[in-house]
Amino acid sequence: MTDVKDVPTQNDAPMQQKNYTGYKSFSYLEPGADYKVYPLAKELNRVPSRRPEITGEQEARVRRLFQEQLMISLHDHCFIAPEDLSQFLEFRRWGRDFTGYEGLSVSGLDAVFDNLMNGTAMITSRGGWKWDDIIYDLGMRLSDIAHQEMVVLCRTTEDIVNAKKNGQIAFIVSIEGAAMIENELDRLDILYGLGVRCLGIAYSEGNQLGAGLKEPNDGGLTTFGRQAVKRMNKLGIAIDVSHSGDRTALDTIEVSDKPIFITHAGARALWNSNRLKPDDVIRACAEKGGVIGIEAAPHTTLTEKHPRHSIESFMEHFEYCVNLVGIDHVAFGPDVLFGDHVGLHNALTEALSIGASRGHLSYEKVAYVDGIESPAEAFPNIVRWLVKHGYSDEDIGKAVGGNIMRVLKAAWYR
């Protein structure tokens, strides 16, 4: 049973003061007239998720670190899911993701790689990953963001630094797979022009660029995929291989002139799942200067020591990767959202290839990942865990943002 003192409350002082004014998504429109209303999940205190137990002195250090260091999530989906997930596909067809501004205001984040609807933007199709759907999704989300002041579109590393100074959060547009560009290289230029700054090679299913992790045969990057990698290097789009097959990931690392990201994954050595990366891929990424962000979506970063998914199993993956490639090449991409993430996976199991990416080991299913359930608590609890376990200020600074900034300065145009 969770003790009340362990549960973060809405009344806790945020780690950083953000200029949140109470804005709710699409409040400039008329609900029921301009769009269909779906009741949404709670952004704060939805479940009794526990924080790491630390002393008052350690908590003061945590709060100082949030003031001094850049806090960057390498991968999240900062939308609010509807309460009734049986209606999720119909909800998605409206093309409106409601951003969790209130939750983000207490997250302590200075920047977040937000991954929009991705292949679940099924506005014109049931298959997802269509060009029109991706553009619709992107434009709708940025229209909402443009109507408030706390979250700002990020195009440069300077935007991240300025967001922290100004009490804002830099919103880095990311897309997890490149299927929608089809065989059109210039679509990469269009995406860059619209603000996209991070793009995955493939999302589970193979595409024109290469193989995804669910494909039984991974032939690596295609000729077109190699051209796309070079174009992304020239444009200044960071490259992600989180959902790519192992051979495709290794080829991408080799072909890219710039360091790349594994934005949200973990170590397959700890849990036998295609969704996680083998040591050779993690090492290759690090050897080229890249970074792996540790993933916390339900039932992903499990371990034999911690088969019940929680912040402890998540952080075991972090420490394994640090021991494998060093603190300079590991960060955090929690891949969390506001709402019932487990229920969402159940609703979208086919669209998201959930079955294909699950491990081959038995595990206890959880209703939520205790300690790292939403963007509101993820980074505060990550930093608490790091402080509790004796990490230095310098190493914490690298893991929570410094390593990501180093890669962005090399990979982005500016």
Side-chain angles (χ1 to χ4, degrees), residues 383-404:
V383 178
R384 288 184 177 111
W385 194 99
L386 292 169
V387 165
K388 180 177 181 178
H389 288 80
Y391 283 81
S392 68
D393 285 9
E394 180 183 7
D395 284 351
I396 293 173
K398 290 178 178 180
V400 298
N403 294 336
I404 296 169

Side-chain angles (χ1 to χ4, degrees), residues 204-217:
S204 296
E205 294 180 349
N207 59 31
Q208 293 272 25
L209 284 72
L213 58 85
K214 73 179 284 189
E215 300 296 343
N217 298 305

Side-chain angles (χ1 to χ4, degrees), residues 13-315:
M15 292 295 173
Q16 294 191 68
Q17 193 63 48
K18 301 294 182 179
N19 59 351
Y20 178 59
T21 60
Y23 177 83
K24 300 294 184 182
S25 280
F26 306 112
S27 56
Y28 52 94
L29 300 177
E30 183 181 350
D34 293 319
Y35 62 87
K36 184 176 180 179
V37 176
Y38 293 85
L40 301 177
K42 290 176 63 177
E43 293 174 58
L44 300 174
N45 309 318
R46 189 184 69 86
V47 294
S49 183
R50 292 172 293 182
R51 64 177 53 168
E53 294 182 5
I54 58 176
T55 67
E57 183 179 356
Q58 289 172 325
E59 180 72 13
R61 183 180 167 215
V62 169
R63 292 179 176 275
R64 175 177 58 77
L65 285 165
F66 270 85
Q67 299 302 315
E68 295 175 354
Q69 304 291 344
L70 283 173
M71 298 286 164
I72 307 173
S73 169
L74 195 47
H75 185 102
D76 276 318
H77 298 268
C78 299
F79 69 87
I80 314 170
E83 285 184 345
D84 183 358
L85 292 172
S86 69
Q87 299 180 317
F88 190 75
L89 291 178
E90 177 59 27
F91 168 76
R92 275 299 206 219
R93 291 187 70 87
W94 282 85
R96 294 188 186 278
D97 255 351
F98 290 71
T99 300
Y101 294 108
E102 181 183 10
L104 283 174
S105 73
V106 301
S107 69
L109 289 173
D110 299 307
V112 57
F113 284 66
D114 190 286
N115 290 264
L116 311 180
M117 296 182 185
N118 282 307
T120 69
M122 300 172 185
I123 301 157
T124 67
S125 79
R126 290 195 300 272
W129 295 113
K130 301 301 184 290
W131 176 253
D132 286 354
D133 288 351
I134 295 294
I135 300 304
Y136 194 113
D137 175 22
L138 175 60
M140 190 77 78
R141 192 75 177 278
L142 294 185
S143 173
D144 177 48
I145 286 173
H147 283 82
Q148 51 76 62
E149 301 297 331
M150 184 185 72
V151 175
V152 292
L153 176 61
C154 176
R155 295 185 176 91
T156 69
T157 54
E158 186 179 3
D159 289 340
I160 297 174
V161 174
N162 288 337
K164 185 177 187 70
K165 290 179 181 176
N166 298 331
Q168 297 173 308
I169 301 171
F171 186 90
I172 303 164
V173 178
S174 307
I175 303 175
E176 294 189 57
M180 69 287 176
I181 74 168
E182 298 177 323
N183 63 342
E184 303 283 351
L185 270 184
D186 285 352
R187 285 187 175 180
L188 293 169
D189 300 59
I190 295 168
L191 291 174
Y192 183 87
L194 294 174
V196 174
R197 291 296 180 270
C198 186
L199 181 63
I201 296 296
Y203 186 94
S204 296
E205 294 180 349
N207 59 31
Q208 293 272 25
L209 284 72
L213 58 85
K214 73 179 284 189
E215 300 296 343
N217 298 305
D218 181 357
L221 274 183
T222 63
T223 298
F224 177 75
R226 291 168 183 268
Q227 294 172 337
V229 167
K230 293 296 188 183
R231 180 65 66 87
M232 285 189 271
N233 286 164
K234 293 174 182 176
L235 284 166
I237 296 176
I239 299 172
D240 178 24
V241 295
S242 297
H243 284 272
S244 300
D246 296 341
R247 181 72 258 162
T248 296
L250 288 169
D251 284 356
T252 302
I253 294 164
E254 179 183 357
V255 170
S256 178
D257 298 325
K258 309 290 179 63
I260 66 107
F261 287 126
I262 304 168
T263 64
H264 59 303
R268 198 178 300 169
L270 292 180
W271 194 257
N272 187 19
S273 164
N274 289 343
R275 184 62 192 80
L276 308 177
K277 296 303 182 189
D279 287 0
D280 61 337
V281 172
I282 299 171
R283 283 197 190 98
C285 176
E287 286 169 1
K288 286 287 287 282
V291 166
I292 179 172
I294 306 302
E295 150 93 61
H299 309 124
T300 54
T301 41
L302 304 171
T303 70
E304 292 190 25
K305 183 179 178 181
H306 297 103
R308 179 181 174 83
H309 204 187
S310 70
I311 193 171
E312 294 300 328
S313 48
F314 168 80
M315 294 304 296

Side-chain angles (χ1 to χ4, degrees), residues 344-400:
L344 194 63
H345 277 178
N346 293 336
L348 292 170
T349 183
E350 184 175 348
L352 298 180
S353 304
I354 299 298
S357 64
R358 284 285 182 257
H360 304 295
L361 306 173
S362 61
Y363 59 91
E364 180 183 354
K365 292 187 177 180
V366 296
Y368 59 91
V369 183
D370 199 9
I372 191 162
E373 195 269 336
S374 81
E377 72 168 12
F379 266 67
N381 282 349
I382 287 168
V383 178
R384 288 184 177 111
W385 194 99
L386 292 169
V387 165
K388 180 177 181 178
H389 288 80
Y391 283 81
S392 68
D393 285 9
E394 180 183 7
D395 284 351
I396 293 173
K398 290 178 178 180
V400 298

